[in-house]
Amino acid sequence: MEPRDLSEHVPYRAGRGIDEVARDLGLDPDELVKLSSNENPFGPSPRAIEAVQSAAESVHTYPKAAHTDLAAALADRWDVETEQIWLGPGGDGVFDYFGRAFLDPGERVLVPEPGFAYYAMSARYHDGVVDNYTLSKAEDFAQTPETVLAAYDDHRIIYLTTPHNPTGSEMSYEDIETVAQETDEETLVIVDEAYAEFTDAPPARDLVEERDDVAILRTFSKVYGLAGLRVGYGLVPESWADAYDRVNTPFAVNLPACRAGLAALEDDEHVEKTVETARWAREYIHDTLDAPTWESGGNFVLAEVGDAERVAAEAQKEGIIIRDCSSFGLPECIRITCGTRESTPEAVDTLNEVIDR
Ligand SMILES: *Cc1c(COP(=O)(O)O)cnc(C)c1O
């Protein structure tokens, strides 16, 4: 027998993990600097580590209370009802829940190009059809209502990313509001704020209160350093928040992840250190990399280096792992995740040597 026709589905190819690369190069993983997946260079909060350890004793139970506690803490933080928090296995899992809740077969979605690959993947899993709007390199990947609306044709879902991965560009609150305003009432605008903690721009949260066609995506994978636990959430309008119970996979987030998420939320010091260091590293990379870079609101910087595949391969041999952006349709660009005050200069030194070769 065979699966259904999956020819439209593009396999997800994750960046290689630090252990795989170390094995290939015959190096100790500790000798490598991994700045390719926008992970937290400080690791998880110490409180989250403790929470995972103590949760281990209870993993024979379903995470009913843990789920409720995390959703309630997030609702409190955002000043919304608990039902308005849609927990999922990573932000990616939450995109799937939006797809399950909104897409009838054949309905169309609008995604940014370049952009985050999972929007299109998730939409296709839910029998959606994918169209693109283009962020133009010549215009520094500017995100305006016009860029989105020029490609809009009664799509069921529009995905916006601010700060945008991989370019770092941002979309203002007013411009997001314009997109929501100018599109049909039955068009859901998803604002992906996976990197919002790293910018000063205000979140789209008030739009979720004022309108019923805007939802926000947040994740614990980036600033909170919990990528390996897979926990994210949607912040959705009250009027359709109850759809969650009809679309979520029961106990979407596992017990250690719920407990770690709660602990991480409480650790302001870890978050502040992470954000402050990322902001410093962004400037450091802009100032010292021997290549043009773009302004970034995230914990990463996009740089134009000519042949990204060569630069990524040669830097990796020297122990520096960064992201070759060919898969984003930018074969001349690399994306460098902000590291620590030690690892960032080390990475830039190596990259400059490789770029200047
Ligand atoms: C990392 C990321 C996410 C969420 O990732 P998860 O690990 O699944 O939570 C969502 N959107 C963008 C643009 C990202 O870079």
Side-chain angles (χ1 to χ4, degrees):
M1 72 177 282
E2 285 197 36
R4 68 191 173 100
D5 179 9
L6 298 174
S7 53
E8 290 288 304
H9 295 254
V10 186
Y12 180 72
R13 305 227 184 271
R16 288 154 52 75
I18 199 161
D19 297 315
E20 288 170 279
V21 174
R23 216 178 298 136
D24 287 359
L25 298 174
L27 293 173
D28 190 317
D30 291 341
E31 294 174 64
L32 298 177
V33 175
K34 182 170 183 251
L35 300 177
S36 55
S37 299
N38 300 343
E39 292 154 343
N40 189 319
F42 295 110
S45 152
R47 296 198 203 179
I49 295 174
E50 229 175 86
V52 170
Q53 284 166 343
S54 61
E57 288 170 20
S58 309
V59 294
H60 60 296
T61 63
Y62 287 104
K64 175 81 172 59
H67 233 251
T68 310
D69 291 350
L70 179 57
L74 288 165
D76 190 44
R77 166 162 300 230
W78 288 105
D79 194 18
V80 297
E81 299 299 319
T82 305
E83 298 70 41
Q84 290 176 263
I85 303 295
W86 284 24
L87 292 177
D92 294 349
V94 179
F95 289 128
D96 288 342
Y97 293 167
F98 288 143
R100 290 184 195 176
F102 281 88
L103 290 178
D104 274 324
E107 285 195 307
R108 289 158 59 218
V109 308
L110 195 55
V111 309
E113 171 70 40
F116 190 59
Y118 198 71
Y119 304 149
M121 295 167 67
S122 174
R124 288 194 188 103
Y125 297 152
H126 300 92
D127 297 310
V129 177
V130 180
D131 294 322
N132 297 312
Y133 60 93
T134 305
L135 304 184
S136 151
K137 190 172 144 199
E139 286 162 31
D140 291 330
F141 307 104
Q143 301 197 68
T144 64
E146 295 73 38
T147 25
V148 179
L149 295 173
Y152 174 71
D153 182 18
D154 283 342
H155 290 85
R156 179 63 159 152
I157 302 180
I158 299 176
Y159 298 81
L160 306 177
T161 324
T162 188
H164 178 265
N165 179 13
T167 69
S169 79
E170 298 186 64
M171 191 171 207
S172 72
Y173 182 94
E174 292 73 25
D175 285 350
I176 294 167
E177 187 169 28
T178 302
V179 171
Q181 196 80 46
E182 298 291 314
T183 51
D184 193 85
E185 279 171 29
E186 296 301 319
T187 296
L188 173 65
V189 177
I190 299 177
V191 186
D192 180 348
E193 296 187 346
Y195 299 99
E197 293 86 355
F198 298 101
T199 173
D200 287 327
R205 181 249 173 232
D206 288 354
L207 290 176
V208 175
E209 285 293 271
E210 290 161 17
R211 313 183 56 94
D212 70 355
D213 58 356
V214 174
I216 293 175
L217 186 287
R218 290 267 174 155
T219 178
F220 283 87
S221 295
K222 307 288 161 51
V223 78
Y224 293 109
L226 299 179
L229 284 174
R230 316 302 303 123
V231 47
Y233 61 98
L235 184 57
V236 313
E238 201 172 357
S239 61
W240 48 265
D242 61 353
Y244 182 71
D245 290 340
R246 298 173 192 269
V247 299
N248 87 93
T249 304
F251 308 111
V253 180
N254 69 66
L255 181 70
C258 288
R259 292 289 180 222
L262 260 180
L265 274 182
E266 310 269 287
D267 193 345
D268 293 337
E269 197 184 319
H270 180 258
V271 170
E272 278 162 26
K273 178 174 76 172
T274 302
V275 170
E276 202 178 289
T277 309
R279 290 180 178 188
W280 168 84
R282 261 176 356 208
E283 292 316 309
Y284 184 90
I285 295 168
H286 287 305
D287 293 346
T288 56
L289 191 74
D290 291 341
T293 56
W294 281 268
E295 281 297 316
S296 171
N299 65 339
F300 53 86
V301 174
L302 187 74
E304 178 153 17
V305 295
D307 181 351
E309 195 180 340
R310 175 190 75 82
V311 170
E314 292 185 19
Q316 183 169 303
K317 279 189 212 141
E318 320 265 334
I320 305 296
I321 313 172
I322 45 86
R323 179 72 187 254
D324 160 12
C325 290
S326 300
S327 69
F328 287 105
L330 299 169
E332 67 287 7
C333 294
I334 58 170
R335 189 194 65 198
I336 308 158
T337 300
C338 295
T340 61
R341 285 175 198 263
E342 294 76 41
S343 62
T344 306
E346 191 186 331
V348 170
D349 281 351
T350 300
L351 285 168
N352 283 346
E353 258 175 54
V354 170
I355 290 166
D356 296 340
R357 253 174 221 164

